Amino acid sequence: MNYFFLLRSLFRSIGGGRFEALYEEILPLLEMMLEVLNNLLLAARKPHYLMRALVVALRAGSDLVGRGLRTLELRVDNLTAECLDPIMAPMIDELMTALWDHLRPNPYSHYHAHTIIRILGKLGGRNRDFLSGPPQLTFKPYADDEPSIDIKFIGSSKERAFPASLGVDVAISKLGEYPKSPQQKKADIFYKQQAFRLVSVGSRMYIGFSNLPDDFAHLVRLQANDCLEGNAGTGPDVVLLADREKSIAKKDIQEDTLKKLLMASIPASTLPDLASCYEEEWFIKAGGGLGIHILPTKLDLGDHWMVTRLVDFIRALFYVIKDMPLDLPANTRVQGLETVKILLRRCNRDIPKEDLHSHSSRLFDLCGFLIFELAHMNKHVREAAQTPFAVIADVIGVQVHQLLSPVKERLLQSIYNKPLRALPFPTHIGYIEAIAYCIPLEKDFIEFNKPLSRLLMESLALADAADEVLTTKPRLNEFNGSQHIQSKSRIIAVFFQSLYSHSAEVIEAANTGLGAVLKITNKLPNELLQNGLRPILMNLQDPKKLSVQGLNGLARLLALLTNYFKVEIGERLLDHIRAIADKSVHQKSSFALIEQNPQMKVVLATLNIFHLLPATPNAAPSAETFMQDLVDRVLELEEALRRTHNSPFRVPLLKYRNRYDKAACTFFSLRLSDMKYGRLFALLNTRPSSMVDRTYLRRFFSACR
């Protein structure tokens, strides 16, 4: 949407005659831009190029209407009929309809109406040359006069009879009209009030009663029951007072008119239903969601009225969340979820906890509907379905698992009934995420049985395309039994395999899963560990095979499996740094940003590993032994790259110094007389991420003196 605002500002700026150089730059692109914008218009509303955009502008807000009218009048004034008429012809019906909509009396803007009359006068009737279809003529299938109303116009001396049906269609269409501009909204209430008065007066006239009898509803109900039972001829007709001498055709037409009036009166005098939320067009759905949001926030309709319609509102809002295209802004989905939370907090304040187990309660029906949405294939729906359970649990004072327990079998049966391989891939994710959401709610909330074990094994078969839901709150302690040893080994192998994925989410999930494994497992099997580490250790043999992704994976493994690695890896990494960052790389990188050079990215990722190497103070060698080599290598790189004041290499070096702070103090204290070491040590200590104890530093250097 911001791009459209930018284009609008651009067109307004160059359209005023300013920025001539910019206008000359934009002119070659204008045809392409108009083509793209018109394609968007065609896709959005399914309505030739310039005229289509003009019609859309005339149906928009007041600002665009004014600009559209000025543009149309400019074309009428400056283009000949031979040039203008072919442009208008394909859109003449839509154009005339859009102009007609602005021909309204006060309090509507007289500027638009006067401009349109002036434009039509300049056209000189040419717009009627395109009326190729037959005129819409009406006829009466009866000979006598139709009902009429005597109306006296201002300036006339006598009244004139007008058909009673005159203006009915206009009034009905006005009641269903949605104003767009602020000026239209200001006058909309007045027009709708007058339209409703016309509809209500016409209804009473066709019914035949100015004031309905007290038992009118009862009599209508009796006649409806007689019609349902086939006894249409019994009882007096209190509504129409049939007369054999009157025209049957006239009676039928009047009945049709009465039906139209009554059907228009019902939505005009009641709140709108939820049909807009289920329409195909997204903007109508957005309007339906906004209408529901207004009910609890701006209208005081009472809690009882809201409670009786709560489930219908929640269903409609979730349909909006489900059916909103993913390429549109998320405002509608976010507002729908906020409305759900408002409704749930308001309508569940006085709900007793006993309703959780009552199959006839509204709370039970609501939980039964929401639990299926936990496994929906749309991630927005899944996230939205988790929120209501948290809100309801907070309002009525229970735990989430207590809300899910009475209805959880509905969810589990739908998940366990079919194997995952028989379902679409989005459904796989929905089912797995639903299980991942339910597992940590309470111990044994979902029983670890054969169906769940089968589901996990099927998930492992799909692990190459899995996401983080596979490792959310894992319960790997359930696999500690001897019957699950093979399954457990397979899960750990999948975690190792996923560490080399190209997806950051999958890598993070695998890292979380391995962390959970190591919390409950003292030692991993050697064969499983060797197979998991072999890909990354093989790449360490050749510096040309090193990559940032692989080195980051090694860093994660070192953080998890420190005791499984040897310190000698550091020596090999230092050799690789010397091989990668040679003089040619120094010369090329010194005139550009270090962070953008591929070789320097690998060097940074390599330096970031040394603080993770195992520290074995009582054995040799230890990671502390790399202190001098690492510091000297960083100083050499900074000098070669002309970055002696600050460089990105100091971030990983500081991590290493923070871990071995005492050894670092000893190392630098012996070299403070050398300016490059002293300056580096001082600058490292001034960084916010420095974890050195300044009291220890003062005592240490005082002792050194």
Side-chain angles (χ1 to χ4, degrees):
M1 187 63 69
N2 293 331
Y3 290 113
F4 291 117
F5 289 152
L6 179 61
L7 284 175
R8 185 179 67 179
S9 301
L10 176 63
F11 289 151
R12 286 178 176 176
S13 299
I14 64 178
R18 297 176 296 170
F19 310 112
E20 185 66 25
L22 180 60
Y23 174 78
E24 293 177 357
E25 294 285 341
I26 295 296
L27 188 59
L29 305 174
L30 188 59
E31 183 178 357
M32 180 270 293
M33 294 171 63
L34 290 176
E35 183 177 356
V36 172
L37 292 173
N38 278 279
N39 288 335
L40 291 174
L41 287 173
L42 184 63
R45 301 295 177 91
K46 296 183 179 180
H48 169 50
Y49 257 48
L50 299 176
M51 278 298 165
R52 184 188 299 122
L54 187 60
V55 169
V56 173
L58 291 175
R59 292 173 176 170
S62 179
D63 181 46
L64 285 180
V65 170
R67 290 179 176 273
L69 291 176
R70 288 196 297 271
T71 303
L72 179 59
E73 188 172 12
L74 185 66
R75 293 176 185 175
V76 173
D77 292 340
N78 294 279
L79 298 179
T80 63
E82 291 79 8
C83 179
L84 180 62
D85 291 354
I87 298 175
M88 292 175 53
M91 300 290 295
I92 190 64
D93 293 335
E94 292 85 348
L95 179 61
M96 290 300 115
T97 302
L99 293 175
W100 173 262
D101 288 340
H102 297 288
L103 293 177
R104 304 180 187 180
N106 285 328
Y108 192 73
S109 173
H110 65 88
Y111 170 78
H112 296 334
H114 292 176
T115 305
I116 291 171
I117 293 296
R118 188 168 64 247
I119 292 172
L120 293 175
K122 292 178 179 180
L123 285 172
R126 297 209 313 271
N127 56 299
R128 295 194 295 273
D129 295 341
F130 303 103
L131 298 176
S132 57
Q136 296 182 356
L137 301 178
T138 58
F139 74 100
K140 298 186 297 183
Y142 51 88
D144 52 338
D145 295 334
E146 58 181 330
S148 62
I149 303 172
D150 292 335
I151 300 176
K152 184 179 180 180
F153 287 99
I154 298 175
S156 177
S157 58
K158 60 180 180 179
E159 296 179 344
R160 180 180 175 183
F162 286 87
S165 60
L166 185 68
V168 168
D169 293 335
V170 176
I172 292 174
S173 64
K174 183 62 187 179
L175 290 174
E177 186 179 278
Y178 295 96
K180 298 178 180 178
S181 66
Q183 191 171 9
Q184 289 176 336
K185 293 178 181 178
K186 183 178 179 180
D188 186 64
I189 297 177
F190 171 78
Y191 289 135
K192 285 187 176 177
Q193 288 175 345
Q194 304 307 314
F196 183 72
R197 289 179 60 187
L198 177 62
V199 169
S200 59
V201 170
S203 301
R204 291 198 298 268
M205 181 185 69
Y206 282 107
I207 290 174
F209 294 97
S210 296
N211 296 312
L212 298 178
D214 295 337
D215 60 343
F216 180 76
H218 177 67
L219 295 175
V220 172
R221 191 177 296 110
L222 289 176
Q223 287 202 0
N225 292 332
D226 291 337
C227 291
L228 182 63
E229 296 172 0
N231 302 325
T234 62
D237 190 348
V238 298
V239 179
L240 297 176
L241 300 175
D243 190 345
R244 292 179 179 273
E245 296 181 359
K246 293 183 179 180
S247 171
I248 299 299
K250 182 179 181 180
K251 171 178 171 292
D252 293 340
I253 290 177
Q254 291 180 357
E255 286 181 349
D256 293 339
T257 304
L258 177 59
K259 291 177 183 177
K260 288 166 57 178
L261 291 169
L262 293 176
M263 291 178 66
S265 300
I266 293 173
S269 57
T270 58
L271 289 171
D273 58 16
L274 305 176
S276 298
C277 297
Y278 298 96
E279 291 290 340
E280 182 179 357
E281 292 82 2
W282 68 268
F283 44 87
I284 299 181
K285 284 197 286 285
L290 179 60
I292 298 176
H293 180 76
I294 291 174
L295 296 179
T297 57
K298 297 185 178 181
L299 299 179
D300 187 10
L301 302 173
D303 290 346
H304 177 73
W305 187 89
M306 298 295 298
V307 169
T308 56
R309 293 162 176 81
L310 175 63
V311 178
D312 296 331
F313 287 150
I314 300 299
R315 289 178 180 271
L317 290 170
F318 264 87
Y319 186 86
V320 172
I321 297 174
K322 291 178 189 177
D323 209 44
M324 284 299 294
L326 297 179
D327 56 342
L328 293 176
N331 298 350
T332 302
R333 290 193 298 268
V334 173
Q335 184 189 65
L337 184 57
E338 289 299 320
T339 307
V340 168
K341 293 191 285 188
I342 293 172
L343 289 169
L344 292 175
R345 291 192 180 278
R346 177 171 178 177
C347 298
N348 290 289
R349 289 179 294 192
D350 300 324
I351 298 295
K353 298 180 182 180
E354 291 75 15
D355 284 2
L356 289 172
H357 303 281
S358 176
H359 289 215
S360 60
S361 66
R362 292 190 181 92
L363 181 59
F364 187 88
D365 292 340
L366 182 60
C367 293
F369 164 73
L370 291 173
I371 197 167
F372 285 110
E373 308 303 332
L374 292 174
H376 198 273
M377 64 177 63
N378 188 327
K379 66 176 182 179
H380 300 293
V381 179
R382 296 194 298 269
E383 294 171 358
Q386 297 173 12
T387 302
F389 288 112
V391 173
I392 298 173
D394 179 60
V395 172
I396 66 177
V398 298
Q399 298 295 323
V400 175
H401 67 85
Q402 294 177 273
L403 293 173
L404 295 176
S405 293
V407 294
K408 70 176 182 179
E409 292 303 324
R410 300 183 183 185
L411 175 66
L412 296 179
Q413 287 179 4
S414 63
I415 294 176
Y416 293 158
N417 277 343
K418 287 186 178 181
L420 290 181
R421 62 180 179 273
L423 300 171
F425 181 69
T427 307
H428 301 169
I429 298 178
Y431 283 178
I432 296 169
E433 192 160 300
I435 295 295
Y437 171 75
C438 294
I439 284 177
L441 293 178
E442 188 195 29
K443 186 177 181 180
D444 298 330
F445 178 73
I446 294 183
E447 182 183 356
F448 196 88
N449 49 20
K450 289 184 178 180
L452 179 59
S453 179
R454 176 179 59 82
L455 179 71
L456 293 176
M457 293 303 102
E458 291 177 339
S459 302
L460 289 174
L462 303 168
D464 289 338
D467 59 8
E468 68 274 12
V469 299
L470 293 176
T471 57
T472 304
K473 298 291 183 181
R475 277 171 52 184
L476 292 167
N477 55 327
E478 300 283 1
F479 287 92
N480 284 339
S482 57
Q483 70 274 21
H484 297 305
I485 292 178
Q486 185 177 359
S487 300
K488 178 180 176 181
S489 300
R490 188 179 177 188
I491 291 175
I492 298 173
V494 169
F495 288 156
F496 274 112
Q497 178 186 354
S498 300
L499 285 174
Y500 310 112
S501 172
H502 294 284
S503 171
E505 293 181 350
V506 175
I507 293 172
E508 185 62 30
N511 193 57
T512 305
L514 279 177
V517 171
L518 296 173
K519 288 181 180 179
I520 60 175
T521 305
N522 294 327
K523 188 176 181 180
L524 295 177
N526 289 332
E527 182 180 358
L528 185 63
L529 186 62
Q530 291 174 2
N531 292 333
L533 298 180
R534 183 177 292 114
I536 202 164
L537 294 178
M538 290 292 292
N539 290 334
L540 289 178
Q541 304 296 326
D542 187 356
K544 296 181 180 180
K545 294 183 179 180
L546 291 181
S547 65
V548 175
Q549 180 183 354
L551 291 168
N552 290 339
L554 176 60
R556 293 188 187 92
L557 288 172
L558 278 167
L560 292 173
L561 307 167
T562 306
N563 296 329
Y564 291 89
F565 286 88
K566 295 181 178 180
V567 181
E568 285 78 0
I569 292 179
E571 297 177 0
R572 186 171 298 172
L573 291 175
L574 285 172
D575 294 336
H576 290 341
I577 292 176
R578 297 186 183 95
I580 295 171
D582 55 11
K583 292 184 178 181
S584 60
V585 175
H586 294 166
Q587 183 69 19
K588 183 179 180 180
S589 302
S590 61
F591 296 100
L593 292 175
I594 298 176
E595 295 84 349
Q596 295 180 355
N597 186 280
Q599 289 89 351
M600 292 298 107
K601 289 181 180 180
V602 175
V603 171
L604 284 170
T606 305
L607 292 173
N608 198 43
I609 290 176
F610 283 88
H611 72 284
L612 298 171
L613 293 175
T616 54
N618 297 326
S622 172
E624 295 180 12
T625 58
F626 300 114
M627 182 71 69
Q628 181 169 356
D629 292 334
L630 199 59
V631 171
D632 290 344
R633 191 59 191 144
V634 169
L635 290 173
E636 291 173 5
L637 287 170
E638 290 183 346
E639 183 178 359
L641 297 172
R642 303 181 181 91
R643 302 292 194 278
T644 56
H645 181 68
N646 191 15
S647 74
F649 305 115
R650 296 185 183 182
V651 176
L653 179 61
L654 184 58
K655 294 179 182 178
Y656 182 81
R657 204 289 314 268
N658 286 338
R659 184 175 182 186
Y660 305 105
D661 54 345
K662 295 182 180 180
C665 290
T666 303
F667 172 80
F668 281 101
S669 66
L670 300 176
R671 296 166 176 82
L672 288 178
S673 58
D674 192 335
M675 185 178 65
K676 62 179 182 180
Y677 289 103
R679 180 175 57 188
L680 177 62
F681 186 61
L683 291 175
L684 289 176
N685 291 331
T686 58
R687 284 181 172 261
S689 57
S690 175
M691 298 170 57
V692 68
D693 188 346
R694 298 182 183 275
T695 304
Y696 170 78
L697 280 178
R698 285 195 295 267
R699 289 201 308 265
F700 179 83
F701 285 105
S702 296
C704 291
R705 291 175 185 174

